[in-house]
Amino acid sequence: MTEYGRGPGSEPWHPEDPLYGDQGWEGGRQAAHGQGQYDSQQQPYAQDPYAQQQPQQGYPQDPYTQQQDPYAHQQDPYAQQHPQQGYPQDPYAQQPQQPQQPQYNGGWDTGQHAAMPYEPQPQPPYGNAPGGYGEQADYYGTAEAYPPPQPPGRREQAPEPQQHQQPQRQNPDWDPDEPQEETHPFFTGADEPDEGRDSRNPRDSRDGDDYDDEPREPRRGKGKKKSRSGCACLVVSLILVGGLGGATYFGYTYYKSQFGEAPDFAGSGSGEVEVEIPEGALGAEIANILKKAGVVKSADAFISAQNGNPKGKSIQAGVYLLKKEMSADNAVNLMLDRKSQNPFIVPEGRTSREIYALIDTRIGAKEGSTAKVAETKGESFDLPEWAPDDPDIKDPLEGFLYPAAYPVSKGAKPEDVLKKMVARANKEYEKVDLEATAEKLGLKGPWQLITVASLVQAEGKHKEDFDKVSRVVYNRLKPDNTETYGLLDFDSTVNYVRKESTLDIGAVDDLRKLDDPYNTYHVKGLPAGPINNPGAEALNSAAKPAPGPWYYFVSISEDKTVFAVTNEEHERNRQKYEDQKAGE
């Protein structure tokens, strides 16, 4: 039986026997230095640095010459990384090892072969002894052979082996002069790697395919994928551009608003526009109204012009006739001119019927529109609690359409105008303690005080006579009055009932037959309600009548009224007035 490591006919190997001589494997790894390249003569050259690290020693003849070296056919791992072609067979494979190497004299030429790094190769420890199972391997005569030794001047440093390094694949079709094609999915539109899959590792494959050493062509994505990538880039670009543009715009706007001049028109404008400034409006509110109406270009320009004008703060509520696209300075100057003001003026002493007609004309509404609104919605216009709900009252708004100038523009709604007037009346009536004053004067409440004021407004010819006219009213209301016996006998009440305005009302006997709660020739005391809308002066005179015994008065001229205590005196004054009028 042949044992492992022995040739045929050899004795069995004993554990104590040396496998490769005294030096074992380490001695067998000593390189054969100093051997020539093509002949059997030794070539002297300098000591190899590997020989200095591992000094050569002589090996005695192994008695087991027929034993085959188990590493004889082992291939060096570096031979696959650096294959070399064209080296001749090693002439020293059959020669015995020399115990000592001579020095190199520098005269040896290695030829045209490129210098390659190498390490000392193990030599069989048995010299020329053939292997146990065949001939010994020639390390220099094959394509996988080591390169021959090189002179020290042409040697290259052996590369350090890298651990766990994948062999570099070389693409035979690669041309370094041609531009490389982009293969990243961002540029090619290729399918993105699946979730949970590392796209950078070619071995990471969901379907378990083996790694392909050949370069893989990039997979072209579908048109939808590529389009989506392009759209994403476009959207991002648009967002960036839009954000930059928006930041620039707002920055410029902020700079202009804080440090630049306010935008403004030039010149006095053109056309005509009616602008209403409400009660209590200040500079900023006025400026915004003018800007909205197209009068000025910016609110800041008007505010600056108003502050720069000494009289700019005196602009009040009202309606102004202005022009479009005016400079702010011209707008301020025109509003300070009374000619530009176009308020809706309600004269003192006008009846509600007359005021309704004025409103229709002002707002451009159909005739009777405002009267209809007052009739259907009059009681909902915030009248005071002391306003009576009496069916004898002809118009609940009579006495509450306060005479004043109102900002009413064309196209306004009738109810809006009426509400403004009622609100103004409430405000003015609050200035006078109506309830306390009415009680002091012996009246039943504020409603009767306003009624007295309407009588003073209607009967008084001149305002300086209002106090005396008021006294006449209160004197006639006295129950012990022996002149009129509690009757007021005012022609104005008859005209109110008849909806007329005339001095020739007819005979007294006929007037007393007119049965109406407003006819003071028929009923004693005050009429059912006010007969007009009195102003502030008439109201003050009604609250503070002048002291005097008068019961009668007559206007003998446009600027003179004569008062009398008795009826006889009154008749004389009347006759004198008629004679004077006839003589004219």
Side-chain angles (χ1 to χ4, degrees), residues 122-134:
Q123 298 292 334
Y126 309 109
N128 299 336
Y133 293 95

Side-chain angles (χ1 to χ4, degrees), residues 523-544:
V523 298
K524 291 184 178 182
L526 294 172
I531 62 174
N532 59 38
N533 295 275
E537 293 179 354
L539 182 61
N540 290 332
S541 296
K544 299 177 180 180

Side-chain angles (χ1 to χ4, degrees), residues 497-551:
V497 173
R498 294 176 176 176
K499 298 180 181 180
E500 297 176 352
S501 178
T502 179
L503 294 176
D504 188 8
I505 60 175
V508 175
D509 295 339
D510 296 335
L511 296 176
R512 297 191 186 280
K513 296 177 182 180
L514 181 60
D515 187 8
D516 191 279
Y518 281 84
N519 181 14
T520 57
Y521 282 95
H522 178 74
V523 298
K524 291 184 178 182
L526 294 172
I531 62 174
N532 59 38
N533 295 275
E537 293 179 354
L539 182 61
N540 290 332
S541 296
K544 299 177 180 180
W550 310 292
Y551 285 91

Side-chain angles (χ1 to χ4, degrees), residues 317-573:
V319 177
Y320 296 85
L321 290 177
L322 304 175
K323 296 181 179 181
K324 285 184 172 292
E325 298 185 359
M326 301 179 65
S327 67
D329 291 333
N330 287 333
V332 171
N333 293 331
L334 187 57
M335 294 182 73
L336 293 175
D337 189 353
R338 290 185 176 272
K339 295 180 181 179
S340 67
Q341 300 181 12
N342 187 30
F344 175 57
I345 299 176
V346 178
E348 297 173 347
R350 294 294 181 93
T351 64
S352 296
R353 174 176 55 85
E354 295 173 333
I355 294 175
Y356 297 153
L358 293 175
I359 294 175
D360 289 340
T361 303
R362 177 73 176 193
I363 64 177
K366 184 179 179 180
E367 184 179 354
S369 298
T370 305
K372 185 177 181 179
V373 172
E375 182 180 357
T376 58
K377 302 180 180 180
E379 295 180 357
S380 63
F381 288 164
D382 296 331
L383 296 175
E385 296 180 356
W386 42 262
D389 186 10
D390 190 346
D392 292 338
I393 297 176
K394 297 183 180 299
D395 190 344
L397 294 183
E398 196 77 75
F400 290 98
L401 303 179
Y402 195 81
Y406 294 95
V408 178
S409 58
K410 191 173 183 179
K413 296 181 179 181
E415 53 266 34
D416 294 339
V417 180
L418 295 175
K419 286 181 179 180
K420 289 180 180 180
M421 294 181 177
V422 173
R424 179 67 180 273
N426 291 334
K427 181 179 179 180
E428 296 296 331
Y429 292 162
E430 289 177 357
K431 296 178 181 179
V432 181
D433 192 354
L434 297 180
E435 294 183 2
T437 303
E439 183 179 1
K440 181 180 179 181
L441 295 173
L443 301 175
K444 296 181 180 181
W447 180 253
Q448 287 191 341
L449 183 58
I450 294 175
T451 301
V452 172
S454 68
L455 295 174
V456 173
Q457 187 76 61
E459 293 292 335
K461 187 72 172 179
H462 310 288
K463 293 183 179 181
E464 57 269 16
D465 298 332
F466 282 177
D467 294 345
K468 293 180 179 181
V469 173
S470 177
R471 174 52 62 185
V472 170
V473 173
Y474 288 113
N475 287 342
R476 291 185 181 187
L477 290 177
K478 292 179 181 181
D480 57 351
N481 170 23
T482 59
E483 293 293 330
T484 62
Y485 302 97
L487 293 171
L488 293 180
D489 290 343
F490 285 158
D491 298 346
S492 57
T493 60
V494 176
N495 287 331
Y496 183 78
V497 173
R498 294 176 176 176
K499 298 180 181 180
E500 297 176 352
S501 178
T502 179
L503 294 176
D504 188 8
I505 60 175
V508 175
D509 295 339
D510 296 335
L511 296 176
R512 297 191 186 280
K513 296 177 182 180
L514 181 60
D515 187 8
D516 191 279
Y518 281 84
N519 181 14
T520 57
Y521 282 95
H522 178 74
V523 298
K524 291 184 178 182
L526 294 172
I531 62 174
N532 59 38
N533 295 275
E537 293 179 354
L539 182 61
N540 290 332
S541 296
K544 299 177 180 180
W550 310 292
Y551 285 91
Y552 305 95
F553 61 91
V554 62
S555 297
I556 61 177
S557 64
E558 292 293 333
D559 55 354
K560 187 176 182 180
T561 300
V562 179
F563 292 87
V565 176
T566 63
N567 189 36
E568 291 78 7
E569 184 181 3
H570 173 64
E571 289 298 330
R572 289 195 298 267
N573 292 334

Side-chain angles (χ1 to χ4, degrees), residues 162-386:
Q162 298 182 2
Q163 299 296 332
H164 305 289
Q165 181 176 1
Q166 296 292 341
Q168 297 182 357
R169 295 177 297 171
Q170 296 182 358
N171 188 352
D173 297 333
W174 178 74
D175 187 354
D177 296 332
E178 294 183 0
Q180 299 302 309
E181 180 182 4
E182 294 289 352
T183 60
H184 195 278
F186 181 83
F187 300 99
T188 63
D191 292 340
E192 298 177 355
D194 296 336
E195 184 177 358
R197 176 179 173 183
D198 189 359
S199 62
R200 297 170 297 177
N201 188 357
R203 295 182 180 273
D204 188 3
S205 176
R206 187 177 296 271
D207 55 3
D209 293 340
D210 293 336
Y211 177 71
D212 189 4
D213 290 338
E214 293 298 328
R216 182 178 299 176
E217 292 294 331
R219 291 182 297 173
R220 300 297 180 182
K222 297 181 180 180
K224 189 177 297 183
K225 292 279 187 178
K226 188 172 183 179
S227 177
R228 184 163 60 242
S229 299
C231 291
C233 294
L234 179 60
V235 170
V236 172
S237 301
L238 292 177
I239 292 175
L240 294 177
V241 173
L244 180 60
T248 303
Y249 172 76
F250 285 111
Y252 175 77
T253 303
Y254 177 79
Y255 173 80
K256 293 292 291 183
S257 62
Q258 297 295 326
F259 307 103
E261 295 182 359
D264 193 6
F265 291 121
S268 58
S270 60
E272 189 175 85
V273 59
E274 189 177 66
V275 179
E276 178 181 347
I277 305 299
E279 188 74 22
L282 300 178
E285 185 176 357
I286 296 174
N288 289 325
I289 293 174
L290 296 179
K291 179 184 177 182
K292 185 177 181 180
V295 176
V296 296
K297 190 171 185 179
S298 65
D300 292 339
F302 179 83
I303 294 174
S304 177
Q306 185 183 24
N307 293 334
N309 193 308
K311 297 181 180 180
K313 298 295 184 180
S314 62
I315 297 177
Q316 299 179 355
V319 177
Y320 296 85
L321 290 177
L322 304 175
K323 296 181 179 181
K324 285 184 172 292
E325 298 185 359
M326 301 179 65
S327 67
D329 291 333
N330 287 333
V332 171
N333 293 331
L334 187 57
M335 294 182 73
L336 293 175
D337 189 353
R338 290 185 176 272
K339 295 180 181 179
S340 67
Q341 300 181 12
N342 187 30
F344 175 57
I345 299 176
V346 178
E348 297 173 347
R350 294 294 181 93
T351 64
S352 296
R353 174 176 55 85
E354 295 173 333
I355 294 175
Y356 297 153
L358 293 175
I359 294 175
D360 289 340
T361 303
R362 177 73 176 193
I363 64 177
K366 184 179 179 180
E367 184 179 354
S369 298
T370 305
K372 185 177 181 179
V373 172
E375 182 180 357
T376 58
K377 302 180 180 180
E379 295 180 357
S380 63
F381 288 164
D382 296 331
L383 296 175
E385 296 180 356
W386 42 262

